[in-house]
Amino acid sequence: MSDTKATISFTDGTPSVDFPIYKGSIGPDVIDIRKLYGQTGKFTFDPGFMSTAACESKITYIDGDRGELLYRGYPIEQIAVQCDYLETCYLLLNGELPTRSKRDQFVGTVTKHTMVHEQMQRFFQGFRRDAHPMAVLVGVVGALAAFYHDSLDINNAAHREISAIRLIAKMPTLVAMAYKYSIGQPFIYPKNSLSYSANFMRMMFGNPCEDYEINDVLVRALDRILILHADHEQNASTSTVRLAGSSGANPFACIAAGIATLWGPAHGGANEACLVMLNDIQKMGGVEKIGEFIKQVKDKQSTAKLMGFGHRVYKNYDPRAKLMRETCHEVLGELGLGDDPLFKLSMKLEQIALEDDYFIQRKLYPNVDFYSGIVQKAMGIPTDMFTCIFALARTVGWISQWTEMIADPDYKIGRPRQLFNGATRRDVLPLDQRS
Ligand code: SDX
């Protein structure tokens, strides 16, 4: 129990109340206000959850002031260089980095689940070819639940485990199918002799008429992109997955809800929106027009935002943005695109913004989405697929956080309250008496 407390006193005659304060292993203390309503008849008010810890977790820690991101205590800078994505998945799911034998066993298990039921193909046929791939992905991931009636008992640890494996294993297959469907090419089955990321690249860019040539630099770059996007504590989509899961919904439905939330341009849709922004500035005239665009962004009458900049938690540089910029350099160098106009434009835009008081005062720095679109475009991934790749990567974070919550015997259904300021009680008038 806690030996430190917070006391709330009221000027309206409500008796003051003490609340315990808990310390985490790192990060801000929390005030346990669960008894507030029962003892005072009052709610807290925190739209956007600016000051609210919605849960207890051991998975990912972010220090927004220091620009630090830890997966199970390991700095993202070390994981991105020393691990691959499936090792990172093992770490997020199990809490420890795998030994070589455990890693090989995990990779083998995931690899054996990369195919989807043949009838899944029929779901794609129902979409227009020009449907946004995220609309398709929300649909087909939710539909996975229709194929696994034998393992949807969320209180069964084995069912939770196989669902996590199936989701991690099948997301690349489904994302690649969404892409192939959009361009009218045949679906490419997984080739299990390949690594996770190489398998995905082949399903995306291979075709039945010729062998697909693996480019190790691009495969490693994709693997790093997946690592950087794997988890990020209680962001909007992860909070959605937890809230959906708190009702007892099956994991496939919860992940589909997370995908829907990630789609928003303020969240995972920012990488696509960032590239659209860079293209718009390019069409305006490129580097010479950056000042004009920044002026729009500062204009409160304008809805223009500097996409890929700013973050609710990071009030310093997003450590993932630095690693993503390095990956950008590597990929553009490998592809002979060092003079890529969009990359040069983005670096100039970043430099100007970081020197501008508007952004400095508001502690707005590049986030993970600022460079990820440029590197994915260079790799041949179409802009409207960027957020699908983000969803692919974040699936392990979502399912790890979901598992952590469901495995806690004390979890409750999430049910926030409100500050109501609508119409008070009144009687219905008959239709002809209404004005
Ligand atoms: C992700 O939560 C996570 O962890 C998310 C994520 C993850 O891995 O899960 O990190 C992934 O979603 C990264 C963020 C991607 N989104 C974008 O790049 C979109 C652009 N950024 C903004 O929409 C915004 O910065 C948010 C949504 C990311 C954060 O918004 P906040 O914390 O609610 O901050 P705010 O909107 O209250 O902004 C504070 C001020 C405001 O100005 P004032 O009203 O004080 O004058 O900063 C301004 C905002 O107008 N501002 C921006 C800006 N972001 C904030 N102004 C211009 N351009 C921007 N990008």
Side-chain angles (χ1 to χ4, degrees), residues 317-379:
Y317 220 97
D318 180 337
R320 302 168 299 175
K322 286 179 189 167
L323 292 160
M324 193 63 77
R325 187 174 52 195
E326 286 167 21
T327 303
C328 237
H329 273 302
E330 285 167 22
V331 168
L332 293 172
E334 168 67 15
L335 299 173
L337 299 173
D339 291 335
D340 179 281
L342 285 188
F343 184 57
K344 295 176 92 170
L345 176 65
S346 63
M347 289 202 292
K348 189 66 182 167
L349 181 57
E350 176 189 7
Q351 178 202 335
I352 292 171
L354 292 181
E355 293 163 359
D356 186 307
D357 269 349
Y358 179 91
F359 298 95
I360 295 168
Q361 283 167 8
R362 291 168 177 79
K363 298 187 176 182
L364 301 176
Y365 292 88
N367 59 49
V368 68
D369 293 300
F370 190 67
Y371 287 102
S372 69
I374 298 161
V375 63
Q376 290 181 74
K377 175 177 179 291
M379 294 167 71

Side-chain angles (χ1 to χ4, degrees), residues 104-229:
D104 294 347
Q105 183 186 7
F106 181 74
V107 170
T109 304
V110 169
T111 302
K112 290 287 179 284
H113 287 276
T114 49
M115 276 210 300
V116 294
H117 194 291
E118 198 68 358
Q119 284 180 221
M120 285 294 289
Q121 297 193 15
R122 299 185 192 172
F123 292 115
F124 289 84
Q125 309 304 338
F127 290 100
R128 287 170 47 129
R129 293 279 182 180
D130 61 356
H132 194 290
M134 282 294 278
V136 176
L137 199 60
V138 169
V140 295
V141 171
L144 279 174
F147 293 86
Y148 299 114
H149 298 294
D150 64 331
S151 49
L152 290 181
D153 174 2
I154 62 169
N155 298 309
N156 179 324
H159 288 193
R160 294 198 295 266
E161 186 179 355
I162 186 58
S163 296
I165 293 292
R166 281 171 169 153
L167 281 157
I168 292 166
K170 297 178 193 306
M171 281 298 279
T173 309
L174 293 172
V175 168
M177 288 172 79
Y179 173 56
K180 286 302 195 188
Y181 183 73
S182 73
I183 58 174
Q185 283 191 8
F187 299 136
I188 300 294
Y189 288 99
K191 185 176 181 185
N192 291 341
S193 58
L194 297 174
S195 71
Y196 186 88
S197 291
N199 213 349
F200 175 63
M201 293 289 274
R202 179 178 171 277
M203 289 190 283
M204 283 283 288
F205 302 116
N207 66 64
C209 311
E210 55 207 27
D211 292 338
Y212 176 70
E213 192 178 330
I214 303 288
N215 178 321
D216 289 332
V217 172
L218 299 190
V219 167
R220 180 62 189 142
L222 177 84
D223 207 71
R224 178 177 289 187
I225 289 170
L226 299 182
I227 290 171
L228 295 180
H229 288 82

Side-chain angles (χ1 to χ4, degrees), residues 65-117:
D65 294 326
R66 295 175 54 193
E68 183 175 52
L69 168 57
L70 307 177
Y71 287 169
R72 298 284 192 178
Y74 294 102
I76 190 67
E77 295 82 0
Q78 295 181 28
I79 291 178
V81 171
Q82 298 184 51
C83 301
D84 65 20
Y85 178 67
L86 282 187
E87 273 178 274
T88 308
C89 289
Y90 184 98
L91 171 65
L92 290 170
L93 282 168
N94 299 295
E96 298 296 338
L97 284 166
T99 58
R100 178 171 292 280
S101 64
K102 285 185 177 173
R103 177 197 178 283
D104 294 347
Q105 183 186 7
F106 181 74
V107 170
T109 304
V110 169
T111 302
K112 290 287 179 284
H113 287 276
T114 49
M115 276 210 300
V116 294
H117 194 291

